[in-house]
Amino acid sequence: MPSIINEGREQLPVALHKYYSQRYSLFSLFDKGIEIDAEGWFSVTPEEIAKHIAMRMSSHSVVLDAFCGVGGNAIQFALCGMDVIAVEIDKARLECAKRNAEIYGVRDKIKFINADFFVIADTLKADAVFLSPPWGGPEYFRLKEYDLDDHMPFSGTHLFNISSNISLNICYFLPRNVGISKIEGLAQNNVCEIERIYLNDRQKCVCCYFGDLVESLI
Ligand code: MGP
Ligand code: SAH
C-alpha cells in the first residue's frame, strides 16, 4: 500500500516529480493539506478539467463517480450542487478523497463507498454516471492506439454496459490516444459526443458523452 504523500517533491519517486510540479493545477487548494498517494498523483483529473466536466453534468441531481480516486472529480461535482455517490476500491485512496472533500467544504455532499464498483453496481441509483477508470498506468501514451478493451484491468466495453443499467447519461473519461471507433460503437444507434480536452496547449484526455449529456441535446 503506497503511503500518503503530500510532504514535498523530494519525498516522491522521480517518476512523480512532473505531477508534483502541476500540483496547483490538480488542486488549487493544495497547500491546505491535500492528500494524494502514488496512483492518485498520476490519475487525478486536473481541477479546471474536473470543473468543466461537472458543469456539463450539472443539470442532474445525483451523479455517480464510479472510480473516485483522490476525489478530483467528485469534489467538483459537489461544488456544482450535485449530490455525489463516490465509489473507490482502495481504502487509503478513499480516505484521501474524504479529506480533500473536507478541504473544499463538500464532505457532506458526497456519499463515499469503499467497494468494487462491479460488485455493487446493481445496487446503485443515479441520474448520470461518470467513469474515470484506471488506464493501466502512466505508460498508456506509448501505445499507438489505446484499445478500450485491452489495457484496463477490465473490459472498457463491459464497464460501459454495466453502467448503462444505472443511467444512459454517461461521461467516459479516457486517454488521449483511445481508439474512437469502439467508443462510437458503444452508443449503438444513439449519438455520442467526443471532446478532446486541452490544458496549457497539451491534450490531457478524451471525454465521451452519452445520453442527454451530448451538448446538442441539452
Ligand atoms: P499523463 O499523460 O500521465 O500526464 O496524464 P501529462 O502531464 O498530461 O503528460 P505530458 O504528456 O503532458 O507530460 C494526463 C491526464 O490523464 C492526467 O492529468 C490525468 O487526469 C489523466 N490520467 C492519467 N492516467 C494514467 C490515468 C488513469 O489511469 N486513470 C484516469 N482516470 N485518469 C488518468
Ligand atoms: N477521477 C479520479 C481518478 C480516478 S483513477 C480523480 O480525479 O481523483 C481510477 C481509480 O479507480 C483508482 O483510484 C482505482 O483505485 C479505482 N478503481 C480501480 N478498480 C476499481 C473498481 N473495480 N471499483 C472501484 N474503484 C476502482
Side-chain angles (χ1 to χ4, degrees):
M1 179 81 61
S3 57
I4 308 306
I5 307 159
N6 60 353
E7 300 290 320
R9 184 175 180 272
E10 297 322 313
Q11 269 67 38
L12 289 172
V14 174
L16 297 179
H17 284 189
K18 78 163 183 174
Y19 301 103
Y20 185 80
S21 63
Q22 300 171 26
R23 62 195 178 284
Y24 298 112
S25 104
L26 302 180
F27 287 106
S28 58
L29 300 186
F30 184 85
D31 289 343
K32 303 279 184 203
I34 289 294
E35 291 181 354
I36 312 181
D37 70 343
E39 186 168 337
W41 274 109
F42 65 72
S43 44
V44 59
T45 306
E47 188 166 293
E48 282 306 309
I49 296 179
K51 233 182 238 180
H52 167 79
I53 295 169
M55 288 294 291
R56 287 206 48 165
M57 298 183 74
S58 62
S59 61
H60 293 284
S61 346
V62 182
V63 62
L64 165 67
D65 182 352
F67 302 87
C68 125
V70 297
N73 294 95
I75 289 169
Q76 296 304 324
F77 289 135
L79 286 170
C80 264
M82 286 176 266
D83 288 325
V84 187
I85 302 165
V87 179
E88 169 56 52
I89 200 167
D90 185 290
K91 201 170 191 320
R93 203 161 302 128
L94 191 71
E95 290 305 313
C96 293
K98 288 180 188 170
R99 168 76 184 128
N100 297 339
E102 207 169 293
I103 291 169
Y104 278 80
V106 289
R107 172 74 181 78
D108 61 343
K109 295 276 293 173
I110 306 174
K111 181 179 178 195
F112 292 98
I113 305 176
N114 179 211
D116 179 335
F117 169 64
F118 292 97
V119 171
I120 62 163
D122 64 0
T123 67
L124 299 170
K125 290 195 185 345
D127 306 313
V129 181
F130 176 69
L131 301 173
S132 65
W135 299 347
E139 299 301 307
Y140 73 88
F141 71 89
R142 295 193 190 282
L143 297 162
K144 191 157 178 286
E145 183 173 284
Y146 184 98
D147 189 297
L148 188 63
D149 294 313
D150 286 349
H151 311 295
M152 295 177 197
F154 35 76
S155 146
T157 299
H158 176 62
L159 170 59
F160 182 89
N161 291 337
I162 293 280
S163 306
S164 0
N165 293 330
I166 300 169
S167 169
L168 295 173
N169 308 319
I170 295 176
C171 172
Y172 210 160
F173 185 90
L174 290 164
R176 58 186 181 241
N177 53 347
V178 71
I180 295 302
S181 57
K182 249 192 194 173
I183 307 291
E184 289 168 340
L186 295 176
Q188 296 181 355
N189 294 327
N190 295 317
V191 278
C192 74
E193 180 188 344
I194 311 281
E195 182 180 52
R196 297 187 175 276
I197 303 187
Y198 289 75
L199 203 58
N200 304 322
D201 292 332
R202 290 188 74 85
Q203 189 184 344
K204 290 282 174 179
C205 60
V206 165
C207 234
C208 311
Y209 300 92
F210 299 85
D212 72 10
L213 298 176
V214 174
E215 193 112 76
S216 59
L217 301 180
I218 292 173

